[in-house]
Amino acid sequence: MTDPRYDVIAIGNAVVDVIAPCEEELIEELQLNRGGMTLVDEERARELYGQMGPARETSGGSAANTLAGLSTLGLQCAFIGQVSDDQLGEVFAHDIRATGIDFDTPVRTGEPATGRVLIFVTPDGERTMNTFLGAGQYLPAAALDETLIADAAVLYLEGYLWDPEEPRRAMRRAIEVARKAGRKIAFTASESFVIDRHGDDFRAMIEDGVIDILFVNEAELATLTGEDDFEAGIALIAPKVPVLVATRSEKGAVACANGERAEVAAEPIDKVVDTTGAGDQFAAGFLSGHVKGETLKDCLLRGAICAAEVITHYGPRPEVDTKALVARRLG
């Protein structure tokens, strides 16, 4: 097996995040799923956008955010995702390439428009996301650059994109390509509602040994296993995947790998401003250590450091040199 050109290649939603602060009353008035992610159609997206206050628009998408974090940490990355031939598509492509990530997926002409996520942030820093997937849900297998997939140490898959049929087929094909090349498959469950819809697929992949690194949060672990008790959920899944990473917000995170278990506390910060991207950046930190062969504990610490940085400001991507932060913290 040849040395890979990329550390991580990811397949995910190519969307633009629209982030705005709001009061609790607006969440109730608009009947939003507080703290969760809800898929919306284009009409609902326009309606919610009209109710937002002054907003900041940046390229987003869970897997793309993780790659942005990885790139900041000094890793070589590539992204596969579908945008439309429109202004937001150009914004997304420019932003991700400016971060140092290779992105060459052909644009899609015609409707629907490039996707966007409308994120309402309440005073406690909790984010409520409303996602119009747009062109992203039409990523075809034909758009995959299989040479790039085979040339990456880790293929990172975004659970959100498992929902639409066409990109699901594309990701299945990408798994075949990565497996044939002897590469690792990392998978993030993304949200409990995705597990509700596709849990049988995910459980089958776990049982079949398809997933090498599984990222879940506490709620997703419960949905995946049917166990409300965190430790019972860990006990069910950990023996079935080479690496399991389970995050618990302010309670820290746990990782299990080949019989070894490590835990870290959440990194202390002065104030939570916006939790958007916390899980994405935790994954970035963890993977940055994993591809370098670091200890399980140090991989978790990297994740905790990156997650702590991103929740101290608006937006899902790092705003400081996280590579330097990690170096200072880990020595």
Side-chain angles (χ1 to χ4, degrees):
M1 185 170 61
T2 59
D3 290 337
R5 173 184 174 187
Y6 297 104
D7 296 301
V8 180
I9 188 169
I11 302 178
N13 278 305
V15 298
V16 175
D17 288 340
V18 182
I19 306 172
C22 75
E23 297 301 323
E24 291 283 355
E25 291 77 13
L26 186 60
I27 300 293
E28 297 179 9
E29 179 184 335
L30 297 175
Q31 298 181 334
L32 303 181
N33 176 26
R34 189 186 191 283
M37 197 286 285
T38 304
L39 293 176
V40 298
D41 59 21
E42 193 162 8
E43 181 179 356
R44 175 65 166 163
R46 286 196 297 267
E47 175 191 348
L48 294 178
Y49 184 70
Q51 295 294 321
M52 299 182 88
R56 186 169 71 174
E57 300 181 358
T58 59
S59 294
S62 176
N65 290 337
T66 295
L67 289 189
L70 284 164
S71 183
T72 302
L73 289 162
L75 277 69
Q76 297 298 311
C77 303
F79 180 71
I80 298 172
Q82 188 68 70
V83 297
S84 188
D85 185 15
D86 58 18
Q87 183 177 0
L88 284 183
E90 292 178 3
V91 168
F92 180 90
H94 175 271
D95 280 1
I96 198 165
R97 290 169 183 154
T99 311
I101 299 164
D102 285 354
F103 173 59
D104 297 306
T105 308
V107 298
R108 187 175 192 273
T109 57
E111 298 294 333
T114 297
R116 75 291 308 261
V117 183
L118 307 174
I119 304 172
F120 294 77
V121 184
T122 44
D124 63 353
E126 186 65 84
R127 85 283 185 273
T128 298
M129 299 186 292
N130 301 271
T131 302
F132 168 59
L133 293 173
Q137 62 188 322
Y138 296 100
L139 173 72
L144 300 179
D145 187 329
E146 296 187 358
T147 301
L148 291 188
I149 294 169
D151 212 7
V154 177
L155 169 65
Y156 182 72
L157 302 174
E158 177 184 323
Y160 284 132
L161 202 57
W162 200 264
D163 200 50
E165 182 178 351
E166 197 164 10
R168 184 164 66 248
R169 289 198 300 266
M171 286 194 285
R172 287 194 185 277
R173 174 57 187 163
I175 289 170
E176 294 175 1
V177 173
R179 278 277 173 234
K180 185 176 180 180
R183 308 309 189 185
K184 292 183 178 180
I185 311 298
F187 189 88
T188 176
S190 293
E191 188 79 28
S192 288
F193 91 86
V194 181
I195 302 172
D196 285 334
R197 293 165 65 96
H198 301 286
D200 288 345
D201 275 356
F202 301 162
R203 286 182 280 270
M205 289 194 294
I206 290 169
E207 293 289 342
D208 293 343
V210 172
I211 298 174
D212 297 296
I213 308 167
L214 176 64
F215 290 94
V216 291
N217 63 28
E218 193 167 10
E220 292 157 6
L221 180 66
T223 305
L224 186 64
T225 63
E227 293 284 351
D228 290 332
D229 180 76
F230 178 75
E231 292 299 334
I234 291 287
L236 277 175
I237 298 296
K240 299 178 180 179
V241 293
V243 181
L244 171 65
V245 183
T247 57
R248 310 185 74 187
S249 299
E250 72 279 0
K251 292 179 284 187
V254 173
C256 299
N258 302 314
E260 178 189 357
R261 174 176 170 137
E263 300 183 39
V264 295
E267 290 287 295
I269 61 171
D270 292 333
K271 180 183 178 182
V272 175
V273 175
D274 174 18
T275 57
T276 306
D280 301 335
Q281 296 311 321
F282 193 101
F286 187 93
L287 286 172
S288 71
H290 181 80
V291 300
K292 296 174 184 294
E294 295 188 3
T295 67
L296 201 59
K297 181 67 171 289
D298 281 353
C299 291
L300 283 175
L301 280 171
R302 282 173 166 266
I305 293 164
C306 293
E309 186 281 330
V310 82
I311 64 176
T312 61
H313 57 77
Y314 284 113
R317 298 184 178 182
E319 292 190 348
V320 302
D321 183 355
T322 50
K323 186 176 182 181
L325 282 181
V326 169
R328 286 198 298 270
R329 179 71 169 82
L330 299 184

